[in-house]
Amino acid sequence: MPSWKRLLSPVATALLAAALTLTPTATATAAVTTAPAGTAPTTTASSTTATTSRGWNDFSCRPSAAHPRPVVLVHGTFANSVDNWLVFAPYLVRRGYCVFSLDYGQLPGVPFFHGLGPVDRSAGQLAAYVDRVLAATGAREVDLVGHSQGGMMPRHYLKFLGGAAKVNALVGVAPSNHGTTLSGLTGLLAFFPGARDLLTAATPALADQIAGSPFLTRLNAGGDTVPGVQYTVIATRYDLVVTPYRSQFLDGPGVRNVLIQDRCPLDLSGHMAIGALDRIAFHEITNALDPANARPTTCASVAD
């Protein structure tokens, strides 16, 4: 290989990895929350057992008749169980849901920033966590809400790990269902021999999410969905991370694909904001969780 390519191969890989990490992690290094009275504070960014001061990850929560299924939130790449959901988890708690979130895809020696390990192994962590939530709450099924990788990874759990029997609905927000081209940036890997192998070795989840990866080829073979699960995908046309944005949509029975700009043309949210901050998207998610009481999502939903 020419010396310039030898030098640029790790550079290209690093740039690709950086581009793929545009998910909400703004406060990861300081995510220490207040525990209930009489107990010690808990660092929640690296703990799936944490109870936050705003009412989620409370394993004493019992689902109500109005909301009989616990909601498990699944963060995106380079995010964690707290940062991705600092706004949305309390939003659901205020509406009477039992809400839980897990950390998955941890790499040795990498604190706070998760969702980096092989996606199939992360799906195994999700399976164990769902079992724990069901055992604690007494519910028969959960609903899953995931952002980015967190909207795609549960599909492996549903399809290959028996999750369809334990999940009523999967709501993916900007999910990497069919991978990403990063607006063509992933095509640069072909020009740098060894770059894809380096990416796979360093951050397997990033390689798994490239359009056409072996993982995604297997995941999507034979159809996008499994029977018995209701699927909702919420996407934004301004997504620059999972591209093209229509690759996020699913085909199959029980699927509802939503472009957020069809609900509110003024919504300019990109990949990060639609999962972390966008209350119009939040309204659409709650409609998916409780379709019997769904109300139209409009630009005015931001005040809901």
Side-chain angles (χ1 to χ4, degrees), residues 158 167-172 224-233 249-258 288 291:
L158 298 176
V167 175
N168 169 70
L170 169 61
V171 184
D224 292 345
T225 64
V226 296
V229 179
Q230 300 299 309
Y231 295 82
T232 299
V233 174
F249 293 151
L250 297 172
D251 291 318
V255 170
R256 191 168 65 96
N257 293 313
V258 177

Side-chain angles (χ1 to χ4, degrees), residues 87-132:
V87 179
F88 183 61
Y91 177 95
L92 282 184
V93 169
R94 288 195 300 272
R95 284 154 179 78
Y97 289 88
C98 290
V99 182
F100 302 87
S101 60
L102 78 155
D103 287 308
Y104 70 86
Q106 301 91 333
L107 291 182
V110 182
F112 308 116
F113 304 106
H114 304 319
L116 300 174
V119 178
D120 57 351
R121 295 185 189 176
S122 294
Q125 292 179 275
L126 174 62
Y129 191 80
V130 167
D131 286 348
R132 182 179 172 213

